[in-house]
Amino acid sequence: MGFQTSGLHHVTAIGGDPQRNVDFYLRTLGLRLVKTTVNFDDPETYHLYYGDEAGRPGTLLTFFPWRGVPKGRIGTGQATTTAFSVPEHSLGWWKQHLETSGTTPGTVVTRDNEEALTFRDPDGLQIALVAHPQPDPRAPWDTPFVPAEHAIRGLHSVTMSVTSEEATAAMLTDGLGLSLAGESSGRFRFQAGDGGSGAFVDVEVTPDAPKGVVAGGTVHHIAWRAADDAEQLALREELVGTGVGVTSVLDRQYFRSIYFREPGGVLLEVATDQPGFDIDEPLLELGRALKLPPWLEPTRDQIANALPQLELPAENNPVQA
């Protein structure tokens, strides 16, 4: 197959209380809320997008936050850890910051010349901050909550847990165009292109682990980048031709998507880089207003009344700040 993704586009997870979710990812992790919209398949539920200033592909973690959602179980057939890139020598600051903010981090571990600090968000989602000696050129979101010299630059990698790696590896290499970058003790790293932050996926083989249950505190799917519609359509045709069950192209307003499961059970998406998050509101005002696709606008009042109110810090919107 000819498709080669340039890296991760976003990760989508399931959360609980929306306000608690906003407070943690904006104030504790220092990300920007770049879009406040709804789950297009369940419009009475938010879909919240966090990322850098503009929500560029490769910086995004998104949530479907349901109040009262049952707790999920992290296990096989899932993405089990979402990792962000931070500057080298930042993890000491982050450990203290997380503890001060009421989050209990683990100990710093070193693997593959990288240091990582792992913790869980308020709903139990497993997050890691990875400090790599190789500089990350992506600019952080300018926020008073986290100093720029320590701030998150974007996604670093995701970890997938499967019971056997062979079929999963074939999908990642033959389907998405990734290459094997290394392996150690049942853990295989694949990379897009030349690798680097935002271009890695780690496949962890855990044959005796329980099967994951997708609900609160778990990842729903991983999205990979396609440069444009033509590249995405060509991949879809190739996948269908090999017998993979793939959705039709779905309009997500800010990108277009196809979805399929890799053989280990993890739900994957391939999303286009365009059109981006500033098509329906100015860059400086991203995330503050509820945005709906045209087909949901006729029921805006009903949708808005069903959603809990969100309070955002003024710093999310530089115009107001």
Side-chain angles (χ1 to χ4, degrees):
M1 297 175 69
F3 178 76
Q4 287 190 316
T5 183
S6 60
L8 293 163
H9 188 284
H10 67 268
V11 175
T12 293
I14 298 175
D17 180 75
Q19 185 64 57
R20 183 178 65 184
N21 188 266
V22 164
D23 290 342
F24 182 80
Y25 285 95
L26 270 61
R27 297 177 184 274
T28 302
L29 291 196
L31 300 177
R32 188 184 190 192
L33 180 64
V34 295
K35 193 62 60 179
T36 301
T37 184
V38 295
N39 182 334
F40 293 172
D41 301 316
D42 181 11
E44 294 187 353
T45 302
Y46 280 117
H47 192 176
L48 305 176
Y49 291 78
Y50 304 99
D52 68 358
E53 178 188 20
R56 295 175 180 87
T59 71
L60 296 160
L61 176 59
T62 93
F63 281 90
F64 302 134
W66 281 284
R67 287 189 295 189
V69 67
K71 186 173 179 59
R73 182 174 66 207
I74 296 174
T76 60
Q78 282 183 345
T80 51
T81 303
T82 301
F84 287 104
S85 169
V86 297
E88 193 177 14
H89 309 306
S90 291
L91 295 185
W93 182 91
W94 273 104
K95 193 173 192 303
Q96 183 177 28
H97 171 68
L98 290 168
E99 290 170 346
T100 302
S101 303
T103 300
T104 304
T107 57
V108 175
V109 298
T110 301
R111 182 192 296 122
D112 298 328
N113 203 32
E114 297 172 337
E115 290 187 328
L117 179 66
T118 303
F119 55 94
R120 292 179 185 264
D121 82 353
D123 292 299
L125 186 72
Q126 188 157 282
I127 303 289
L129 301 176
V130 176
H132 193 284
Q134 178 181 347
D136 189 329
R138 297 175 292 182
W141 167 233
D142 185 10
T143 172
F145 302 115
V146 177
E149 62 265 32
H150 301 303
I152 287 171
R153 268 44 182 177
L155 292 171
H156 173 272
S157 60
V158 292
T159 299
M160 294 165 42
S161 177
V162 298
T163 58
S164 175
E165 81 280 1
E166 291 184 5
T168 294
M171 173 61 77
L172 295 177
T173 55
D174 299 338
L176 296 177
L178 305 181
S179 61
L180 180 63
E183 61 180 279
S184 176
S185 303
R187 189 179 182 92
F188 300 79
R189 169 159 286 187
F190 296 86
Q191 66 183 33
D194 294 330
S197 291
F200 292 130
V201 58
D202 293 329
V203 176
E204 192 172 35
V205 182
T206 54
D208 298 325
K211 183 175 176 58
V213 176
V214 176
T218 65
V219 170
H220 187 269
H221 63 267
I222 306 167
W224 295 90
R225 298 174 65 176
D228 52 34
D229 294 318
E231 189 174 85
Q232 183 188 67
L233 283 170
L235 170 64
R236 185 182 184 279
E237 291 179 4
E238 290 179 342
L239 290 171
V240 170
T242 62
V244 178
V246 189
T247 67
S248 59
V249 175
L250 300 175
D251 184 0
R252 299 312 193 193
Q253 282 294 97
Y254 313 106
F255 46 87
R256 283 164 289 280
S257 302
I258 58 174
Y259 300 85
F260 55 96
R261 289 193 184 275
E262 57 83 27
V266 181
L267 182 61
L268 303 181
E269 173 185 356
V270 173
T272 58
D273 281 355
Q274 300 298 325
F277 289 95
D278 60 353
I279 62 167
D280 56 2
E281 57 186 337
L283 177 65
L284 293 180
E285 299 179 17
L286 292 180
R288 184 158 295 276
L290 176 64
K291 294 298 178 180
L292 299 176
W295 61 90
L296 291 178
E297 280 293 348
T299 56
R300 170 175 282 273
D301 289 346
Q302 176 184 337
I303 291 171
N305 290 335
L307 294 169
Q309 293 296 309
L310 291 179
E311 294 183 8
L312 305 183
E315 291 84 358
N316 198 69
N317 183 342
V319 172
Q320 291 198 3

